[in-house]
Amino acid sequence: MSGLSNELWSRRRFLRRLSQSVGALALVSGIPAIGRAAEMAHDRSSLIVRLSRPQDLETPVEYLDSSITPNSVFFVRSHFGPPAIIEEQWKLEIGGLVDSSRSLTLEDLRKFEIVDLPATLQCSGNGRAFFHPSVPGVQWQRGAVGNALWRGVRLRDVVKSISIKSGARHMQMRGYDSAPMPTTPSFTRSIPIERALDPSTLLAFEMNGEPLPVLHGGPLRMVVPGWAGDHWYKWLRRIDFQEHEAEGFYMQTAYRMPRQPVPSKGIASLPEVPVTVNPVKSLIAHPSEGSVMPPGDHLVSGVAFTGVGHMVNVEVSLDGGCSWDRAELEGKESEGAWQLWRYRWRASTKGPYIVAARATDSSGRVQPQATPWNHGGYLWNGIDLVHCEIA
Ligand SMILES: Nc1nc2c(c(=O)[nH]1)N[C@H]1C(S)=C(S)[C@@H](COP(=O)(O)O)O[C@H]1N2
Ligand SMILES: [Mo]
């Protein structure tokens, strides 16, 4: 990528200058990213509480500026909260349409080839708060997303040893977490068998070099790069190969949207399909909403990701979307993982500004002005905007 000069990549100099205006940015040796999230120690108290029981915690968008989101600031979402699991007693059962059922311990799983994969996890409801008219559900804004280095084994390798019968089309997942009341439906889901056997689909037991934290599904969760968070099943207890999709509320009613956009008044009878692939999206980490900065050089930066393929372009607008200029994508693309981007803003004219970011991926998908309304408030990917002032 040509675009900005080599000088931009002379990172130390660039950052030294910028850190005066952007604040807490600094170079962290060994971490291939600048980043507020990367440079400071955090506890979960910096997360935004969207719901306290169970804890649904959102990452402040300012932290989405490093290639890896630390576990302590990684967003948290579940329907019923984490279960109490005694790790020594933990097992994964595999059954259904297979020749021989299996029961595996973590030690058994570790005998398969161990894989490290960076991948972006985004809740399908991330950005729900931006739909008009508003839709019920957790009112996530920007930070129900994070990028982690997942370590685990390929699901495909594990099931290779158990021949799956020919009628199997879906893989149902059951967890150790349970609904608070017998009348509440349990969070049971399934994914199509092709996706389960995709080489990027992992059974993960580590996150960013730590044993998978309980809040994130420890001891074992699914990693389904490119697909929305509801497929990234946590606290895995049992998987079954079967002919049909999982029954029940969380598969047959929730996490579905119409194949075609519908008017917001809604035509309820349109056929719906499960929410799967993440759309192309960029988010602005810096500057922050409402910031007032002196004239001079400022860093506009953030992350960009997509469900299929990789990023090819992020553009920045300083006039609310009238004109666009190319930002610099950092590092090498890796399918399923986000990429950092940055843009040097030479701000000389005082006044209010609307900074916008728009991403394009390798399938030619472009971030739209707004995402067509859907009643679940899923897969928002409208162009991100930040209001700030040069004064
Ligand atoms: N067993 C189980 N797995 C689950 C859920 C849940 O409620 N129970 N929530 C899902 C949803 S909707 C999301 S967005 C992700 C969130 O993962 P995180 O908390 O690690 O960010 O977990 C998914 N896996
Ligand atoms: Mo989610």
Side-chain angles (χ1 to χ4, degrees), residues 74-79 121 123 177 187 215-216 221 229-230 232-235 255:
F74 203 99
F75 87 98
V76 174
R77 162 67 173 152
S78 74
H79 296 78
L121 162 54
C123 178
D177 53 335
F187 185 75
L215 277 177
H216 295 293
R221 82 174 304 164
D230 41 298
W232 295 51
Y233 205 87
K234 308 202 276 191
W235 309 302
Y255 301 114

Side-chain angles (χ1 to χ4, degrees), residues 113-312:
E113 186 192 342
I114 297 199
V115 178
D116 285 305
L117 193 71
T120 302
L121 162 54
Q122 176 175 237
C123 178
S124 55
N126 194 27
R128 180 178 288 128
F130 303 130
F131 282 102
H132 295 291
S134 62
V135 283
V138 183
Q139 295 299 300
W140 303 111
Q141 294 188 6
R142 297 176 173 83
V145 61
N147 197 69
L149 183 64
W150 307 96
R151 171 173 282 193
V153 295
R154 290 188 189 92
L155 180 57
R156 186 176 72 167
D157 293 349
V158 176
V159 302
K160 220 183 263 171
S161 55
I162 312 159
S163 21
I164 300 174
K165 294 190 172 147
S166 61
R169 294 278 169 275
H170 298 270
M171 189 190 88
Q172 173 149 3
M173 300 166 283
R174 291 187 176 85
Y176 281 90
D177 53 335
S178 53
M181 288 182 294
T183 47
T184 314
S186 62
F187 185 75
T188 297
R189 304 212 7 109
S190 61
I191 60 172
I193 198 157
E194 302 75 38
R195 183 66 239 225
L197 302 183
D198 184 284
S200 71
T201 304
L202 304 185
L203 296 170
F205 39 72
E206 279 182 33
M207 177 179 183
N208 294 332
E210 285 176 25
L212 189 62
V214 173
L215 277 177
H216 295 293
L220 193 77
R221 82 174 304 164
M222 293 276 293
V223 164
V224 191
W227 281 29
D230 41 298
H231 304 276
W232 295 51
Y233 205 87
K234 308 202 276 191
W235 309 302
L236 210 50
R237 175 172 64 83
R238 182 172 180 98
I239 57 186
D240 284 288
F241 291 91
Q242 57 194 39
E243 210 176 323
H244 303 287
E245 275 184 352
E247 305 288 333
F249 177 79
Y250 288 106
M251 193 67 203
Q252 297 305 326
T253 304
Y255 301 114
R256 289 189 171 253
M257 59 192 280
R259 209 185 286 274
Q260 302 294 329
V262 292
S264 56
K265 294 272 183 286
I267 304 164
S269 58
L270 276 183
E272 299 207 319
V273 291
V275 166
T276 55
V277 176
N278 279 323
V280 62
K281 187 167 181 177
S282 63
L283 290 164
I284 303 169
H286 306 293
S288 302
E289 175 68 23
S291 49
V292 180
M293 299 168 289
D297 278 6
H298 297 284
L299 178 69
V300 181
S301 68
V303 295
F305 51 95
T306 184
V308 183
H310 56 87
M311 303 314 306
V312 293

